[in-house]
mmCIF file of all heavy atoms in Angstrom:
data_model
loop_
_atom_site.group_PDB
_atom_site.id
_atom_site.type_symbol
_atom_site.label_atom_id
_atom_site.label_comp_id
_atom_site.label_asym_id
_atom_site.label_seq_id
_atom_site.Cartn_x
_atom_site.Cartn_y
_atom_site.Cartn_z
ATOM 1 N N LEU A 18 47.909 -42.653 -37.463
ATOM 2 C CA LEU A 18 47.668 -42.547 -38.899
ATOM 3 C C LEU A 18 48.862 -43.084 -39.682
ATOM 4 O O LEU A 18 48.691 -43.785 -40.693
ATOM 5 C CB LEU A 18 47.391 -41.092 -39.281
ATOM 6 C CG LEU A 18 47.060 -40.833 -40.751
ATOM 7 C CD1 LEU A 18 45.884 -41.681 -41.217
ATOM 8 C CD2 LEU A 18 46.766 -39.349 -40.971
ATOM 9 N N LYS A 19 50.059 -42.785 -39.220
ATOM 10 C CA LYS A 19 51.268 -43.286 -39.880
ATOM 11 C C LYS A 19 51.269 -44.815 -39.927
ATOM 12 O O LYS A 19 51.547 -45.426 -40.970
ATOM 13 C CB LYS A 19 52.507 -42.789 -39.153
ATOM 14 C CG LYS A 19 53.815 -43.350 -39.691
ATOM 15 C CD LYS A 19 54.991 -42.930 -38.813
ATOM 16 C CE LYS A 19 56.289 -43.610 -39.254
ATOM 17 N NZ LYS A 19 57.424 -43.244 -38.369
ATOM 18 N N LEU A 20 50.945 -45.458 -38.802
ATOM 19 C CA LEU A 20 50.913 -46.920 -38.740
ATOM 20 C C LEU A 20 49.875 -47.496 -39.697
ATOM 21 O O LEU A 20 50.124 -48.490 -40.391
ATOM 22 C CB LEU A 20 50.632 -47.382 -37.305
ATOM 23 C CG LEU A 20 51.750 -47.141 -36.285
ATOM 24 C CD1 LEU A 20 51.265 -47.457 -34.878
ATOM 25 C CD2 LEU A 20 52.969 -47.990 -36.625
ATOM 26 N N LEU A 21 48.688 -46.878 -39.733
ATOM 27 C CA LEU A 21 47.628 -47.358 -40.623
ATOM 28 C C LEU A 21 48.029 -47.229 -42.086
ATOM 29 O O LEU A 21 47.803 -48.143 -42.891
ATOM 30 C CB LEU A 21 46.333 -46.580 -40.357
ATOM 31 C CG LEU A 21 45.604 -46.869 -39.045
ATOM 32 C CD1 LEU A 21 44.419 -45.937 -38.883
ATOM 33 C CD2 LEU A 21 45.156 -48.322 -38.975
ATOM 34 N N LEU A 22 48.631 -46.099 -42.434
ATOM 35 C CA LEU A 22 49.029 -45.889 -43.818
ATOM 36 C C LEU A 22 50.131 -46.861 -44.233
ATOM 37 O O LEU A 22 50.110 -47.412 -45.339
ATOM 38 C CB LEU A 22 49.494 -44.444 -44.021
ATOM 39 C CG LEU A 22 48.406 -43.364 -43.905
ATOM 40 C CD1 LEU A 22 49.016 -41.977 -44.051
ATOM 41 C CD2 LEU A 22 47.322 -43.569 -44.955
ATOM 42 N N ASN A 23 51.099 -47.072 -43.344
ATOM 43 C CA ASN A 23 52.189 -47.999 -43.660
ATOM 44 C C ASN A 23 51.675 -49.425 -43.854
ATOM 45 O O ASN A 23 52.172 -50.170 -44.701
ATOM 46 C CB ASN A 23 53.247 -47.974 -42.559
ATOM 47 C CG ASN A 23 54.110 -46.724 -42.623
ATOM 48 O OD1 ASN A 23 54.215 -46.079 -43.664
ATOM 49 N ND2 ASN A 23 54.720 -46.364 -41.503
ATOM 50 N N LYS A 24 50.655 -49.782 -43.067
ATOM 51 C CA LYS A 24 50.145 -51.148 -43.118
ATOM 52 C C LYS A 24 49.172 -51.368 -44.268
ATOM 53 O O LYS A 24 49.236 -52.399 -44.956
ATOM 54 C CB LYS A 24 49.464 -51.493 -41.787
ATOM 55 C CG LYS A 24 48.959 -52.932 -41.726
ATOM 56 C CD LYS A 24 48.421 -53.263 -40.338
ATOM 57 C CE LYS A 24 47.954 -54.723 -40.264
ATOM 58 N NZ LYS A 24 47.441 -55.066 -38.906
ATOM 59 N N PHE A 25 48.274 -50.401 -44.485
ATOM 60 C CA PHE A 25 47.176 -50.635 -45.421
ATOM 61 C C PHE A 25 47.298 -49.859 -46.743
ATOM 62 O O PHE A 25 46.585 -50.160 -47.691
ATOM 63 C CB PHE A 25 45.840 -50.283 -44.760
ATOM 64 C CG PHE A 25 45.503 -51.145 -43.575
ATOM 65 C CD1 PHE A 25 45.683 -50.685 -42.277
ATOM 66 C CD2 PHE A 25 45.013 -52.431 -43.767
ATOM 67 C CE1 PHE A 25 45.377 -51.488 -41.192
ATOM 68 C CE2 PHE A 25 44.698 -53.232 -42.676
ATOM 69 C CZ PHE A 25 44.889 -52.769 -41.384
ATOM 70 N N CYS A 26 48.180 -48.878 -46.787
ATOM 71 C CA CYS A 26 48.320 -48.064 -48.001
ATOM 72 C C CYS A 26 49.789 -47.989 -48.417
ATOM 73 O O CYS A 26 50.416 -46.911 -48.362
ATOM 74 C CB CYS A 26 47.763 -46.663 -47.778
ATOM 75 S SG CYS A 26 46.044 -46.616 -47.233
ATOM 76 N N PRO A 27 50.378 -49.101 -48.807
ATOM 77 C CA PRO A 27 51.808 -49.128 -49.136
ATOM 78 C C PRO A 27 52.185 -48.278 -50.351
ATOM 79 O O PRO A 27 53.361 -47.996 -50.571
ATOM 80 C CB PRO A 27 52.072 -50.614 -49.409
ATOM 81 C CG PRO A 27 50.736 -51.173 -49.790
ATOM 82 C CD PRO A 27 49.741 -50.421 -48.993
ATOM 83 N N ASN A 28 51.179 -47.862 -51.118
ATOM 84 C CA ASN A 28 51.457 -47.022 -52.291
ATOM 85 C C ASN A 28 51.607 -45.542 -51.918
ATOM 86 O O ASN A 28 51.873 -44.709 -52.783
ATOM 87 C CB ASN A 28 50.358 -47.186 -53.343
ATOM 88 C CG ASN A 28 48.970 -46.901 -52.787
ATOM 89 O OD1 ASN A 28 48.755 -46.981 -51.580
ATOM 90 N ND2 ASN A 28 48.040 -46.584 -53.659
ATOM 91 N N LEU A 29 51.434 -45.211 -50.628
ATOM 92 C CA LEU A 29 51.644 -43.845 -50.165
ATOM 93 C C LEU A 29 53.011 -43.750 -49.496
ATOM 94 O O LEU A 29 53.313 -44.516 -48.582
ATOM 95 C CB LEU A 29 50.557 -43.420 -49.173
ATOM 96 C CG LEU A 29 49.099 -43.444 -49.658
ATOM 97 C CD1 LEU A 29 48.186 -42.866 -48.594
ATOM 98 C CD2 LEU A 29 48.930 -42.699 -50.973
ATOM 99 N N ASN A 30 53.827 -42.809 -49.946
ATOM 100 C CA ASN A 30 55.157 -42.592 -49.388
ATOM 101 C C ASN A 30 55.117 -41.393 -48.457
ATOM 102 O O ASN A 30 55.002 -40.244 -48.905
ATOM 103 C CB ASN A 30 56.165 -42.351 -50.519
ATOM 104 C CG ASN A 30 57.556 -42.050 -49.999
ATOM 105 O OD1 ASN A 30 57.911 -42.450 -48.898
ATOM 106 N ND2 ASN A 30 58.353 -41.345 -50.795
ATOM 107 N N ILE A 31 55.171 -41.631 -47.147
ATOM 108 C CA ILE A 31 55.100 -40.544 -46.168
ATOM 109 C C ILE A 31 56.455 -39.835 -46.129
ATOM 110 O O ILE A 31 57.439 -40.362 -45.620
ATOM 111 C CB ILE A 31 54.725 -41.074 -44.771
ATOM 112 C CG1 ILE A 31 53.390 -41.812 -44.827
ATOM 113 C CG2 ILE A 31 54.653 -39.919 -43.771
ATOM 114 C CD1 ILE A 31 53.013 -42.506 -43.540
ATOM 115 N N ILE A 32 56.492 -38.607 -46.661
ATOM 116 C CA ILE A 32 57.756 -37.882 -46.777
ATOM 117 C C ILE A 32 57.955 -36.874 -45.651
ATOM 118 O O ILE A 32 59.063 -36.367 -45.459
ATOM 119 C CB ILE A 32 57.849 -37.163 -48.140
ATOM 120 C CG1 ILE A 32 56.614 -36.295 -48.369
ATOM 121 C CG2 ILE A 32 58.010 -38.179 -49.264
ATOM 122 C CD1 ILE A 32 56.636 -35.511 -49.672
ATOM 123 N N ALA A 33 56.885 -36.581 -44.883
ATOM 124 C CA ALA A 33 57.015 -35.656 -43.754
ATOM 125 C C ALA A 33 55.830 -35.837 -42.818
ATOM 126 O O ALA A 33 54.704 -36.095 -43.262
ATOM 127 C CB ALA A 33 57.089 -34.206 -44.234
ATOM 128 N N ILE A 34 56.106 -35.701 -41.520
ATOM 129 C CA ILE A 34 55.070 -35.721 -40.489
ATOM 130 C C ILE A 34 55.253 -34.454 -39.665
ATOM 131 O O ILE A 34 56.305 -34.255 -39.049
ATOM 132 C CB ILE A 34 55.159 -36.976 -39.607
ATOM 133 C CG1 ILE A 34 54.979 -38.242 -40.452
ATOM 134 C CG2 ILE A 34 54.095 -36.928 -38.504
ATOM 135 C CD1 ILE A 34 55.124 -39.532 -39.660
ATOM 136 N N CYS A 35 54.235 -33.591 -39.649
ATOM 137 C CA CYS A 35 54.372 -32.262 -39.052
ATOM 138 C C CYS A 35 53.423 -32.100 -37.869
ATOM 139 O O CYS A 35 52.279 -32.544 -37.905
ATOM 140 C CB CYS A 35 54.078 -31.190 -40.096
ATOM 141 S SG CYS A 35 55.041 -31.385 -41.611
ATOM 142 N N GLN A 36 53.919 -31.410 -36.837
ATOM 143 C CA GLN A 36 53.148 -31.271 -35.602
ATOM 144 C C GLN A 36 52.440 -29.924 -35.461
ATOM 145 O O GLN A 36 51.731 -29.699 -34.491
ATOM 146 C CB GLN A 36 54.051 -31.497 -34.392
ATOM 147 C CG GLN A 36 55.177 -30.499 -34.263
ATOM 148 C CD GLN A 36 56.065 -30.818 -33.076
ATOM 149 O OE1 GLN A 36 55.768 -31.721 -32.275
ATOM 150 N NE2 GLN A 36 57.152 -30.082 -32.937
ATOM 151 N N ASP A 37 52.639 -29.007 -36.407
ATOM 152 C CA ASP A 37 51.917 -27.740 -36.365
ATOM 153 C C ASP A 37 51.801 -27.175 -37.786
ATOM 154 O O ASP A 37 52.523 -27.587 -38.695
ATOM 155 C CB ASP A 37 52.600 -26.735 -35.441
ATOM 156 C CG ASP A 37 53.999 -26.357 -35.896
ATOM 157 O OD1 ASP A 37 54.118 -25.720 -36.959
ATOM 158 O OD2 ASP A 37 54.963 -26.693 -35.191
ATOM 159 N N PRO A 38 50.882 -26.230 -37.997
ATOM 160 C CA PRO A 38 50.632 -25.716 -39.348
ATOM 161 C C PRO A 38 51.841 -25.065 -40.008
ATOM 162 O O PRO A 38 52.060 -25.249 -41.217
ATOM 163 C CB PRO A 38 49.504 -24.702 -39.121
ATOM 164 C CG PRO A 38 48.813 -25.170 -37.891
ATOM 165 C CD PRO A 38 49.898 -25.724 -37.020
ATOM 166 N N MET A 39 52.631 -24.289 -39.271
ATOM 167 C CA MET A 39 53.773 -23.618 -39.881
ATOM 168 C C MET A 39 54.809 -24.627 -40.375
ATOM 169 O O MET A 39 55.384 -24.473 -41.457
ATOM 170 C CB MET A 39 54.410 -22.641 -38.887
ATOM 171 C CG MET A 39 53.524 -21.452 -38.542
ATOM 172 S SD MET A 39 52.860 -20.583 -40.008
ATOM 173 C CE MET A 39 54.379 -20.030 -40.792
ATOM 174 N N GLU A 40 55.018 -25.671 -39.582
ATOM 175 C CA GLU A 40 55.914 -26.751 -40.020
ATOM 176 C C GLU A 40 55.329 -27.426 -41.253
ATOM 177 O O GLU A 40 56.056 -27.812 -42.172
ATOM 178 C CB GLU A 40 56.108 -27.753 -38.888
ATOM 179 C CG GLU A 40 57.084 -28.875 -39.222
ATOM 180 C CD GLU A 40 57.197 -29.911 -38.107
ATOM 181 O OE1 GLU A 40 56.685 -29.646 -36.991
ATOM 182 O OE2 GLU A 40 57.785 -30.981 -38.368
#
Side-chain angles (χ1 to χ4, degrees):
L18 183 55
K19 175 186 174 182
L20 291 172
L21 289 175
L22 292 177
N23 285 338
K24 183 174 182 179
F25 296 102
C26 304
N28 55 338
L29 301 186
N30 177 25
I31 302 173
I32 53 178
I34 299 177
C35 307
Q36 62 182 353
D37 63 66
M39 293 309 298
E40 183 184 349

